[in-house]
Amino acid sequence: MDIIVQLALSGLFIGGVYALISVGLTLVFGVLRVVNFAHGEYLTIAMYLTYFMFQRVGIDPFVASVAVVPLMFGLGLLTERLLIRPTLEAPHVVQVFVTFALSLFLQNLLLSLFTSDFRTVRTPYATAAFQIGPLYVSWLRVAVFVVALALAGGLAAFLKYTYVGSAIRATAQDRRSARLVGINVDRVYAVTFALGCALVGAAGILLSPLFPVNPYTGADMILISFVIVVLGGMGSIAGAVTAGLLIGLVESFTGYFAGGELKQLVYFVLFMIVLAVRPNGLFGRKGAEVMDVT
């Protein structure tokens, strides 16, 4: 019984980070209707920034977030202005090709700059743990889990209770009507895309003390993120969080009982079963036309 609880905790802890990565992806899709294939590379960039700030300057990853998150937000603004905005009126296949090409470009750029070597952030508190009965719980994993869920919850509150959040939701529902009531839709798109990049940047910061980074880290994570976004329901923040936690649990239990090589098989089978029963995902709405913050 103890091992079951330990596995559940481990799955939830990593699932919280998966959820944060996927929330940024589903936010961009829910508002801009763009599937960003370069989302994983932004995660990798954030992890590299965190690594070098820690390795060269000695800045703790959590402190580094003060610089890394705004940098990722700015990178998102630049990407939206140069690559995404010119393609918004084009067929969706054009946006797919643009973001996929950006993904390959960034991946190969990182490979040429940093090689394929793994780099690890080794914080002094990485192995610190506390005991609850027979269970040992990592302080770092608890902190990462709490921060990830707090950021996802903060995003939902931002979208629901602020003027900018209302403008984002209005644009997601009907951009033509949003323009008619005076909302600057182009600015909303820029802020939304930048928020998605900032969120995945925050996820990269949280992952950096837990996992090594190399140029292919984001490519591995983006596959999980796409599964989570579709499983939870395209455009649904609550769905992304729920599905992220679920996939974390599936990975944890499958890795222990069946071996790490079967993790993807199991959650893809779960993915197909859920979509066979609910084609729109756990929290998705038909057509995914509304940005759902519930």
Side-chain angles (χ1 to χ4, degrees):
M1 185 62 185
D2 293 341
I3 188 63
I4 299 298
V5 177
Q6 191 79 60
L7 290 171
L9 288 175
S10 297
L12 288 174
F13 291 158
I14 189 59
V17 182
Y18 287 166
L20 184 60
I21 298 171
S22 304
V23 160
L25 190 62
T26 203
L27 174 67
V28 171
F29 174 81
V31 180
L32 280 75
R33 327 305 294 166
V34 171
V35 179
N36 182 15
F37 283 90
H39 196 71
E41 277 58 54
Y42 290 119
L43 175 79
T44 308
I45 290 171
M47 293 182 73
Y48 269 116
L49 288 173
T50 305
Y51 169 80
F52 283 112
M53 292 181 73
F54 178 80
Q55 194 71 18
R56 302 288 173 83
V57 191
I59 299 176
D60 182 89
F62 289 94
V63 178
S65 63
V66 177
V68 174
V69 171
L71 283 172
M72 296 306 299
F73 186 90
L75 181 59
L77 288 176
L78 184 64
T79 304
E80 191 277 337
R81 185 66 184 88
L82 296 179
L83 297 177
I84 303 301
R85 189 177 302 180
T87 68
L88 287 177
E89 301 299 329
H92 288 299
V93 67
V94 175
Q95 300 157 10
V96 169
F97 285 143
V98 166
T99 58
F100 186 68
L102 177 62
S103 170
L104 293 178
F105 169 75
L106 291 175
Q107 193 175 110
N108 284 278
L109 177 64
L110 293 171
L111 185 63
S112 64
L113 291 175
F114 308 124
T115 74
S116 60
D117 294 341
F118 285 95
R119 300 167 191 262
T120 306
V121 174
R122 303 183 188 278
T123 58
Y125 50 79
T127 57
F130 60 95
Q131 188 173 1
I132 303 177
L135 302 177
Y136 286 89
V137 182
S138 166
W139 280 109
L140 177 59
R141 289 181 179 269
V142 170
V144 165
F145 175 75
V146 170
V147 172
L149 289 193
L151 288 173
L155 174 66
F158 170 79
L159 292 174
K160 194 167 186 178
Y161 298 114
T162 67
Y163 172 79
V164 176
S166 298
I168 290 174
R169 288 188 290 115
T171 303
Q173 291 173 356
D174 190 332
R175 65 178 178 182
R176 290 183 180 177
S177 298
R179 288 186 193 276
L180 289 175
V181 297
I183 294 174
N184 188 328
V185 172
D186 289 337
R187 184 175 298 172
V188 166
Y189 283 163
V191 170
T192 301
F193 194 88
L195 274 175
C197 292
L199 287 168
V200 80
I205 294 166
L206 296 177
L207 279 175
S208 59
L210 300 174
F211 295 97
V213 60
N214 81 344
Y216 303 109
T217 301
D220 296 334
M221 289 290 181
I222 196 62
L223 179 61
I224 300 173
S225 298
F226 279 131
V227 170
I228 290 170
V229 168
V230 178
L231 186 62
M234 299 290 278
S236 172
I237 293 176
V241 172
T242 303
L245 296 176
L246 178 61
I247 293 299
L249 289 171
V250 169
E251 279 201 354
S252 181
F253 281 95
T254 304
Y256 182 82
F257 290 108
E261 64 277 4
L262 294 179
K263 291 190 296 185
Q264 286 190 352
L265 172 65
V266 172
Y267 66 65
F268 270 113
V269 169
L270 174 66
F271 173 74
M272 290 185 289
I273 291 172
V274 170
L275 290 189
V277 178
R278 289 186 58 85
N280 298 314
L282 296 174
F283 290 76
R285 302 182 183 183
K286 188 174 181 180
E289 294 297 334
V290 178
M291 186 74 239
D292 187 359
V293 297
T294 59

